[in-house]
Amino acid sequence: SKATVSVLYWTKREGGQMKSVLICGDGNFSFSMAIGKLQETGDLTLLEGLLGVKGPFKIKCTSFDTRVQLLGKYHECAKILPALDNMGKIGVTVEHGVNAWELESHYPEERFDAVVWNHPHLGTENFNLHRFLLCHFMHSAKNVLTPNGVISLSVLEGQSVRWDVVKQAEKVGLALAQRSPFFPSKYPGYETRRNRTGGSFQNSHTQDHMSDALPSVSLRFSKDSDSKPILTEPSPADDRLVIPKKKVEHAFFCDVCGKGFKKKQGVDTHHKQVHQYKKYGDWSVEGKKLKCRHCDKVLHDEEARWQHEIANHTGDDVSIPHPSTEGDQTVQESEGYGYFPCEVCGMSVSRHPDWGMAAHLESLKPIVGLELPCGIGDCTKLFIEQRALRQHRNFCRLRDQRPKIETQDRPLALYYGVGLILAYLGYRLVRSKSSQ
């Protein structure tokens, strides 16, 4: 075919060398399809500009999802995948089930001149998880690069700062070589898709109605730490998304303790539960007297301090013993407490042999299908984030030792509620009889 002849010509022109490119996490493979079509026509200018690498290219297109999952999530894959399968003669191949931060295990003997990942996302708005994800990706991609290889990463503007992309690359010995705008519309047929729903977040409708709808930026990294980055417009300062803190104004205040609320319903509920029924004991704003043993926060009682320390400081210490078990170390030691920093990204990882590092790595996979079980006692609750799992396990482990707040007014509140229900039922009965 004409395309095959063109590739053979380029290969001969370049001394028989085709540059190897690995495309990671391509969702519905529309980016790979666009690159494949350009390769067919012989127009390599766009890809050469993105990578800073001279063609021709041998392109390996991959996805995290399996082929069956792709066909179920993206209807267009029914046409795209067979078309890519037919591009083998021009150096385009397809693989599924490839994890972007485990490239060494997928390609132990192969080395690539460029590794590409466009718009990575775990399906959850957690900037810390994405920082850890990209650090692991950079570390893995670096290990499969040729000596002069590059990594091309495209993200939405603002993400590069929130996710601290450049710092993650520097952690693993990579340097920013170029930063430039990335325009998906230049690649024919390419659409950025959400990995949870398959819907586009940069579709033509949005672009038609918003002039600055979710612009993207391309970051190119190399092993050469001596090279100075080439920065094109917009500048890195423009990439920073500043979200001002919204000042909370209270319109209603409790007449007993002075606590403020935005709505009247809030102050009414607070007054009944806290001051009338004394659900939380003898509570008051000024009653906060116990300081957290790990930060400056001041709390009302031992139960509140215990919950705060469990939720916020478990990863900073060996254990947070419950007030009722101070001095008893058997609970914390028997359950494998203790954390260490991941040697790649620095995230706090549990020393638990069954779910520590495994759960950390699982948290860096797309949210779809991710199920991390609690596994303590008879608890079968599942989580999609390691942070939530860790916090739940802290409470679940000590749930039987949680202190009880004794109040003499609690039975009265129960009787009061039952009385209201009975009164309402009696009222409805009288109304129904009178209407007859």
Side-chain angles (χ1 to χ4, degrees), residues 173-211:
L174 295 170
L176 179 64
Q178 179 167 315
R179 180 189 187 280
S180 58
F182 179 75
F183 301 102
S185 58
K186 288 188 176 182
Y187 299 84
Y190 174 41
E191 272 198 306
T192 49
R193 295 285 188 172
R194 301 181 187 276
N195 61 14
R196 298 189 68 178
T197 64
S200 174
F201 58 86
Q202 287 181 316
N203 53 50
S204 57
H205 175 78
T206 303
Q207 293 172 359
D208 289 341
H209 289 79
M210 298 179 66
S211 59

Side-chain angles (χ1 to χ4, degrees), residues 332-344:
Q332 59 201 38
E333 293 176 358
S334 64
E335 293 295 341
Y337 273 77
Y339 296 88
F340 67 94
C342 171
E343 61 181 12
V344 175

Side-chain angles (χ1 to χ4, degrees), residues 179-343:
R179 180 189 187 280
S180 58
F182 179 75
F183 301 102
S185 58
K186 288 188 176 182
Y187 299 84
Y190 174 41
E191 272 198 306
T192 49
R193 295 285 188 172
R194 301 181 187 276
N195 61 14
R196 298 189 68 178
T197 64
S200 174
F201 58 86
Q202 287 181 316
N203 53 50
S204 57
H205 175 78
T206 303
Q207 293 172 359
D208 289 341
H209 289 79
M210 298 179 66
S211 59
D212 58 346
L214 301 175
S216 298
V217 61
S218 174
L219 304 170
R220 187 197 304 162
F221 298 92
S222 68
K223 294 181 180 180
D224 184 8
S225 59
D226 295 331
S227 62
K228 295 183 179 180
I230 302 173
L231 304 178
T232 60
E233 293 299 329
S235 66
D238 298 330
D239 192 35
R240 186 177 302 274
L241 179 63
V242 179
I243 304 177
K245 291 185 177 181
K246 186 177 181 180
K247 184 178 179 181
V248 179
E249 296 182 359
H250 297 135
F252 302 90
F253 297 88
C254 174
D255 57 3
V256 177
C257 66
K259 186 173 182 179
F261 297 86
K262 294 175 65 176
K263 298 181 179 180
K264 187 177 185 302
Q265 181 181 357
V267 72
D268 290 343
T269 301
H270 162 79
H271 189 274
K272 289 180 180 179
Q273 292 187 347
V274 174
H275 301 299
Q276 185 175 346
Y277 303 148
K278 296 189 181 297
K279 183 178 179 180
Y280 305 102
D282 188 16
W283 187 94
S284 66
V285 174
E286 293 78 11
K288 293 184 177 183
K289 54 190 177 183
L290 292 178
K291 184 178 180 181
C292 171
R293 289 164 287 198
H294 304 269
C295 68
D296 295 330
K297 189 174 181 65
V298 181
L299 301 112
H300 178 71
D301 53 30
E302 289 285 357
E303 162 69 4
R305 181 167 71 173
W306 176 73
Q307 289 198 21
H308 165 76
E309 291 179 344
I310 283 289
N312 296 278
H313 303 295
T314 306
D316 301 335
D317 208 338
V318 175
S319 170
I320 305 295
H322 192 275
S324 62
T325 60
E326 293 246 19
D328 181 8
Q329 303 298 316
T330 58
V331 175
Q332 59 201 38
E333 293 176 358
S334 64
E335 293 295 341
Y337 273 77
Y339 296 88
F340 67 94
C342 171
E343 61 181 12

Side-chain angles (χ1 to χ4, degrees), residues 27-174:
N28 65 350
F29 281 87
S30 60
F31 179 76
S32 298
M33 188 65 184
I35 295 299
K37 288 181 177 180
L38 292 174
Q39 178 111 322
E40 278 187 326
T41 62
D43 183 6
L44 302 180
T45 306
L46 203 57
L47 188 56
E48 288 177 339
L50 178 67
L51 304 179
V53 177
K54 193 79 172 176
F57 300 106
K58 181 174 61 176
I59 305 170
K60 192 183 293 290
C61 314
T62 70
S63 67
F64 178 80
D65 293 321
T66 65
R67 195 178 186 99
V68 173
Q69 289 172 329
L70 287 171
L71 292 172
K73 189 187 301 185
Y74 310 109
H75 64 86
E76 62 270 23
C77 278
K79 293 183 178 179
I80 293 178
L81 293 178
L84 286 173
D85 292 336
N86 292 328
M87 292 184 179
K89 291 183 179 181
I90 60 171
V92 178
T93 58
V94 175
E95 291 187 17
H96 304 292
V98 176
N99 190 339
W101 50 258
E102 259 184 342
L103 299 177
E104 309 98 310
S105 62
H106 293 290
Y107 310 108
E109 304 297 331
E110 292 187 64
R111 293 297 176 263
F112 301 92
D113 295 289
V115 177
V116 181
W117 198 2
N118 294 327
H119 300 102
H121 205 276
L122 292 171
T124 177
E125 298 302 327
N126 186 319
F127 69 89
N128 274 325
L129 277 182
H130 285 94
R131 288 178 180 178
F132 302 141
L133 166 68
L134 293 181
C135 191
H136 277 268
F137 162 67
M138 298 284 189
H139 177 264
S140 182
K142 180 185 176 183
N143 290 335
V144 297
L145 284 180
T146 60
N148 296 319
V150 298
I151 297 173
S152 175
L153 180 72
S154 299
V155 295
L156 296 179
E157 286 199 15
Q159 287 178 341
S160 65
V161 173
R162 292 195 301 275
W163 297 353
D164 214 355
V165 176
V166 175
K167 184 176 180 179
Q168 308 315 312
E170 292 173 347
K171 284 182 181 179
V172 299
L174 295 170

